[in-house]
Amino acid sequence: MVVGLDVESDGDADFLIGSLNGSDRLLLNDGTGALTAVAGIFDAAPSRGTLGMAIADLNGDFRLDVVEGQGEVPSHQDERIYLATDAIGPDTAPPHVRTATVGATILGRISDNRTPNAPHDWQSITARWNGGEAPMTWYGENLFRAIVPTDAEPVTVCAVDAAGNQTCSS
């Protein structure tokens, strides 16, 4: 199981690896593509059965926490929850916003450097124009849309992530 995220808010893809036969691990990308395993993030005992991993800020500290689903092993291991410690910094990276217009529909591909993406990861995503604004509707993964008046120009899409980091399209 692999989950992509940006642990250090530096714009580089880092990875969580869930293992069926060893320790789960966090790999940090140094920006050149070299990955380094970080010690002390998961329990010292191997999980030997991680089938699923999800990330979210479970306790409101703007750090990504990990939930693991365990299975297919004869041991009595329960599902696991790892709350981030000070070893993981809070989210300080602004979201990425790309937009396209199709008629009166504004389409946005908006991400916060992690997968999967869900509505609870955002404070707001809006399409704004002179004299108005409309909330954008999530319709899967990193995709959002809004209907705007045909004479709305220029339209800017602004995204505010759960940690309060903001970006607006040009």
Side-chain angles (χ1 to χ4, degrees):
M1 176 68 204
V2 178
V3 175
L5 69 163
D6 183 8
V7 174
E8 322 99 296
S9 296
D10 62 0
D12 300 326
D14 305 312
F15 302 97
L16 288 173
I17 309 293
S19 178
L20 288 176
N21 62 0
S23 296
D24 300 322
R25 52 204 173 276
L26 170 64
L27 302 177
L28 294 182
N29 184 338
D30 69 1
T32 67
L35 299 173
T36 303
V38 179
I41 299 296
F42 296 100
D43 292 338
S47 69
R48 302 197 192 287
T50 301
L51 294 178
M53 298 176 100
I55 55 174
D57 179 9
L58 299 174
N59 58 355
D61 65 356
F62 306 120
R63 291 175 171 84
L64 293 176
D65 306 308
V66 180
V67 177
E68 293 184 347
Q70 304 292 316
E72 294 191 12
V73 290
S75 69
H76 296 6
Q77 292 180 327
D78 294 330
E79 313 318 336
R80 296 179 180 197
I81 297 174
Y82 296 95
L83 297 178
T85 66
D86 289 340
I88 303 297
D91 178 12
T92 60
H96 297 276
V97 176
R98 291 186 290 170
T99 63
T101 304
V102 179
T105 303
I106 301 297
L107 303 171
R109 183 170 180 83
I110 303 165
S111 73
D112 203 23
N113 290 332
R114 65 175 179 254
T115 60
N117 184 17
H120 68 266
D121 293 322
W122 304 98
Q123 288 184 23
S124 68
I125 298 177
T126 56
R128 301 175 183 169
W129 61 93
N130 290 335
E133 103 175 22
M136 295 190 75
T137 302
W138 179 72
Y139 68 99
E141 191 52 30
N142 296 330
L143 304 175
F144 296 80
R145 66 178 165 220
I147 305 296
V148 301
T150 55
D151 62 349
E153 288 188 20
V155 176
T156 301
V157 172
C158 294
V160 182
D161 68 17
N165 304 305
Q166 178 174 320
T167 298
C168 293
S169 65
S170 53

